[in-house]
Amino acid sequence: DAAPNFEGLLPPNLESVIAGWIHDDMPSFDVGGLVVGSEKKEAKLLMKSSGVFAGKPFFTKVFEMLDCKVEWEEIAVEGNNIEISEKVVFATVTGPVNKILRGERTALNTLSRCSGVATLSREAADTAKNLGWNGWVAGTRKTTPGFRIVEKYGLLVGGAATHRLDLSQMVMLKDNHIWASGSIEKAVKLARKAAGFSQKIEVECQSLEEALEAAKAGADIVMLDNFTPENLRSDAKKFKEQYPHVLVEASGGITTETMPGFLGPDIDVVSQGKLTQGYPCVDFSLKIVH
């Protein structure tokens, strides 16, 4: 069940991102922190609902930056799909009690949301795999501003692909780019001059004709957007007959429930915005030992 250890992917600016989260929650006085004082205490992290566990490095880093220590239990393995019938202790946080409480909500928010993304991603990836499809289930760039790294990390832990991480990672020419530049061919050729050989170019297409135009101009991936399942499979087959090495992505309002209709031998990627835009959170709490 366990996913690879993706913690090594996290960038060196993670501390500055987390510092922003902490500052957001405490821009001024912390009266509650004054009330409890700075005596050293322990707090137990409890997992209270079932799901795929993810977000461990973010939880740890929040408390490390607040001079606290986190010790994890053996059960706390990222990627494990854990069935909860009663509260389970996942970690112990030790440090000044005011700092434990200062980091509590921020740390829990990252953990519950990252686990939520991972859980939904696991369901989607397993659904596709169980149907015998060997393509990629992917997220999208529909992430929460300032929280993208957590949601993209959750996709990976859950077994989905991140899709492009940001505007700089891969070129995606959507309908607005095409309309603003004048044509698919013009947009792709200019993008290739700037991107060179090191970046893939994907073009959002509303028809088979547009997909063929994009591939002819040099696109590496075509997104067949908002197609019905029947039209998608038919047009993808026709497209692959001419451009077998160009990837085909299906997108547009697809959910895990409707996804089986969009899978097929000529579809390489199915993307779901819902994986990072409509996920339910996994329930965790942190309780001071008393």
Side-chain angles (χ1 to χ4, degrees), residues 183-222:
S183 73
I184 289 174
E185 181 183 11
K186 187 176 178 182
V188 171
K189 290 193 171 179
L190 179 56
R192 181 58 70 198
K193 285 181 181 178
F197 65 88
S198 62
Q199 281 185 300
K200 288 185 176 180
I201 296 173
E202 179 169 9
V203 179
E204 179 184 271
C205 303
Q206 312 299 322
S207 66
L208 173 60
E209 292 70 31
E210 288 187 357
L212 292 170
E213 183 183 352
K216 184 178 179 181
D220 304 288
I221 308 166
V222 295

Side-chain angles (χ1 to χ4, degrees), residues 2 11 29 32 35 42-43 54-55 60 64 68 77 88 111 118 155 164-165 217 226 262 272 276-277 280:
F29 294 150
V35 170
E42 286 187 352
T60 299
E64 284 181 351
C68 298
V77 177
V88 178
L111 202 59
L155 287 169
R164 61 175 180 162
L165 296 175
N226 290 312
F262 293 88
Q272 292 190 35
T276 56
Q277 202 175 40

Side-chain angles (χ1 to χ4, degrees), residues 7 145 251-252 283:
E7 186 173 353
S251 191
D283 195 9

Side-chain angles (χ1 to χ4, degrees), residues 9-282:
L9 287 173
L10 295 171
N13 72 333
L14 182 61
E15 285 198 7
S16 65
V17 172
I18 291 176
W21 297 344
I22 294 170
H23 179 265
D24 180 63
D25 201 35
M26 188 188 163
S28 184
F29 294 150
D30 176 14
V31 176
L34 173 69
V35 170
V36 299
S38 57
E39 182 183 351
K40 187 176 181 180
K41 293 277 188 179
E42 286 187 352
K44 300 292 183 182
L45 170 66
L46 305 172
M47 187 172 184
K48 298 162 63 180
S49 66
S50 301
V52 175
F53 178 66
K56 190 174 177 180
F58 306 108
F59 185 93
T60 299
K61 183 61 73 174
V62 167
F63 284 112
E64 284 181 351
M65 291 177 65
L66 291 169
D67 305 316
C68 298
K69 182 181 178 184
V70 180
E71 293 185 7
W72 293 94
E73 302 292 334
E74 283 187 20
I75 193 174
V77 177
E78 286 195 307
N80 278 358
N81 194 357
I82 298 167
E83 292 294 326
I84 298 292
S85 56
E86 57 184 28
K87 299 173 186 177
V88 178
V89 175
F90 263 59
T92 302
V93 182
T94 307
V97 63
N98 60 336
K99 292 192 174 182
I100 292 176
L101 297 181
R102 188 173 298 170
E104 174 191 11
R105 180 41 54 195
T106 298
L108 290 174
N109 284 348
T110 60
L111 202 59
S112 63
R113 285 160 172 77
C114 194
S115 296
V117 172
T119 301
L120 213 56
S121 299
R122 177 67 54 80
E123 291 173 6
D126 283 354
T127 295
K129 183 179 178 182
N130 292 337
L131 290 169
W133 185 66
N134 296 315
W136 293 94
V137 175
T140 69
R141 207 160 54 85
K142 294 176 181 176
T143 53
T144 308
F147 205 64
R148 177 184 320 199
I149 193 166
V150 177
E151 291 167 338
K152 291 289 193 180
Y153 186 89
L155 287 169
L156 282 177
V157 174
T162 61
H163 215 294
R164 61 175 180 162
L165 296 175
D166 49 54
L167 286 173
S168 300
Q169 191 189 39
M170 181 178 82
V171 181
M172 183 181 287
L173 302 174
K174 298 175 76 69
D175 50 9
N176 285 324
H177 296 93
I178 305 304
W179 295 333
S181 62
S183 73
I184 289 174
E185 181 183 11
K186 187 176 178 182
V188 171
K189 290 193 171 179
L190 179 56
R192 181 58 70 198
K193 285 181 181 178
F197 65 88
S198 62
Q199 281 185 300
K200 288 185 176 180
I201 296 173
E202 179 169 9
V203 179
E204 179 184 271
C205 303
Q206 312 299 322
S207 66
L208 173 60
E209 292 70 31
E210 288 187 357
L212 292 170
E213 183 183 352
K216 184 178 179 181
D220 304 288
I221 308 166
V222 295
M223 177 195 287
L224 302 184
D225 192 36
N226 290 312
F227 281 53
T228 65
E230 296 75 18
N231 288 345
L232 173 74
R233 291 194 298 269
S234 172
D235 286 353
K237 185 175 188 300
K238 293 172 185 173
F239 177 84
K240 285 285 192 177
E241 287 170 356
Q242 294 189 51
Y243 295 98
H245 301 301
V246 175
L247 296 180
V248 173
E249 175 181 347
S251 191
I254 300 171
T255 65
T256 299
E257 292 72 32
T258 63
M259 185 176 64
F262 293 88
L263 306 181
D266 302 303
I267 313 300
D268 302 292
V269 182
V270 172
S271 57
Q272 292 190 35
K274 185 179 178 181
L275 297 182
T276 56
Q277 202 175 40
Y279 55 90
C281 293
V282 176

